[in-house]
Amino acid sequence: MKNNKSLITYSDPKSSAAEAYRMLRTNLHYLNIDKENRVIMVTSSNMAEGKTTTICNLAVTMAQSNKDVLLLECDLRKPRIHRVFNIDNSIGLTNVITENKTLDEVVKSSPEYSNLSIVTCGPIPPDPAEILQSISMRNFIEQIKSEFDIVLIDVPPVCSVADASILGGIVDGVIFVISSQETNVESAKTAVKTLEKVGANILGAVLVKVKLSRRGYYYYYNYYSEDENTTKKKRKKHRKKTTDD
Ligand SMILES: Nc1ncnc2c1ncn2[C@@H]1O[C@H](COP(=O)(O)OP(=O)(O)O)[C@@H](O)[C@H]1O
Ligand SMILES: [Mg+2]
């Protein structure tokens, strides 16, 4: 896991990217996620925009702050959470819905954080939308909501299939991922309208895959993450340089 590029919050917690995920966690905290918005879905307009990467890092960051987190795979078409965490996917959500398996039978602990629980997809079903709109699915969400501090749900993109819209109306809040490299403005607008139509509570958007310059945020974070002595030396050097100028 240490070399896992998708899980930067675990592999390189001092990086600017990990800090950005912590800021996302803080911003969500101010939206009262502990009480009102406990079940949060992360989606975007199209595929490969960064939904799974965002939700997995958010889950790790929340677990690092001692919350009991459940990460639930509801992308039953192209599940990837089990790959990110390198865990078994032979049993998961589909077994709960189609075979009445219990939460205890399908839930796994993240290899690194005992307070981060994961329910993977399980066998890929022929009818993902049917599964997601079933009564059993609603009941399962109610159950996990009562057992965890926060539930994070990964889903397919809004523009290609109905899955995200089905869950959008059930969950407490939705985070919308926008990729600075892939997301097309018109698709994003269509996706947001689709989510609004089903009554989704869109908490906000997260901009990902932004190329940062050394002078921007990245520089700022490194400066403050250094130890006191290095920082003092740098300040002295900077003062000397300013005087020389
Ligand atoms: N914040 C990011 N910065 C750089 N690359 C990213 C970021 N988020 C995702 N990616 C890359 O984009 C690709 C798609 O990411 P993924 O999270 O699987 O997207 P989605 O779940 O929306 O299909 C992967 O190769 C992933 O490594
Ligand atoms: Mg995904």
Side-chain angles (χ1 to χ4, degrees):
M1 282 248 299
K2 266 286 174 204
N3 296 324
N4 188 336
K5 285 202 176 116
S6 291
L7 270 190
I8 192 108
T9 42
Y10 173 72
S11 61
D12 191 2
K14 282 195 166 183
S15 61
S16 56
E19 177 60 13
Y21 287 113
R22 284 193 289 274
M23 285 176 86
L24 174 60
R25 177 189 70 197
T26 306
N27 289 338
L28 284 168
H29 176 73
Y30 286 111
L31 287 173
N32 220 358
I33 54 159
D34 304 334
K35 295 195 181 81
E36 289 163 24
N37 298 311
R38 297 247 298 280
V39 182
I40 295 180
M41 173 180 109
V42 174
T43 194
S44 75
S45 47
N46 287 303
M47 59 178 284
E49 289 174 323
K51 295 176 285 299
T52 302
T53 308
T54 302
I55 204 167
C56 290
N57 280 286
L58 184 58
V60 167
T61 318
M62 285 177 161
Q64 285 166 341
S65 71
N66 292 324
K67 294 253 182 268
D68 267 330
V69 184
L70 177 66
L71 181 57
L72 175 62
E73 176 73 87
C74 286
D75 187 340
L76 309 180
R77 297 168 196 267
K78 288 190 177 161
R80 197 168 85 83
I81 287 177
H82 61 284
R83 288 189 207 282
V84 174
F85 287 91
N86 200 14
I87 51 176
D88 170 57
N89 183 37
S90 54
I91 187 165
L93 177 65
T94 51
N95 305 89
V96 173
I97 309 302
T98 61
E99 296 165 17
N100 291 326
K101 293 271 184 224
T102 63
L103 171 63
D104 284 350
E105 287 174 290
V106 300
V107 75
K108 291 136 199 155
S109 246
S110 125
E112 306 298 333
Y113 303 98
S114 57
N115 56 327
L116 171 53
S117 305
I118 303 173
V119 173
T120 61
C121 168
I124 292 185
D127 50 358
E130 291 292 310
I131 290 208
L132 298 177
Q133 64 194 357
S134 65
I135 302 281
S136 313
M137 183 69 200
R138 276 176 189 255
N139 293 341
F140 185 61
I141 290 181
E142 280 309 309
Q143 184 199 346
I144 52 184
K145 188 174 175 168
S146 66
E147 292 192 24
F148 292 88
D149 295 330
I150 182 101
V151 176
L152 295 170
I153 301 184
D154 195 18
V155 292
V158 180
C159 292
S160 46
V161 283
D163 307 13
S165 322
I166 292 167
L167 289 177
I170 301 172
V171 297
D172 298 327
V174 175
I175 296 174
F176 193 78
V177 171
I178 294 176
S179 163
S180 71
Q181 292 174 29
E182 284 103 358
T183 307
N184 158 292
V185 177
E186 287 313 311
S187 315
K189 282 186 185 167
T190 309
V192 169
K193 274 190 198 146
T194 310
L195 289 168
E196 282 171 349
K197 266 191 210 154
V198 296
N201 171 23
I202 301 176
L203 301 172
V206 177
L207 184 63
V208 299
K209 306 198 194 186
V210 180
K211 291 207 168 86
L212 297 172
S213 72
R214 268 196 71 80
R215 287 190 161 273
Y217 182 69
Y218 174 81
Y219 176 72
Y220 177 86
Y221 179 71
N222 276 342
Y223 188 84
Y224 283 98
S225 63
E226 284 161 352
D227 65 55
E228 259 296 278
N229 286 340
T230 331
T231 311
K232 274 182 194 155
K233 270 186 221 154
K234 269 204 173 171
R235 282 203 198 112
K236 217 169 163 183
K237 201 172 157 193
H238 178 72
R239 269 203 302 273
K240 187 171 180 301
K241 194 171 177 290
T242 331
T243 335
D244 292 349
D245 293 343

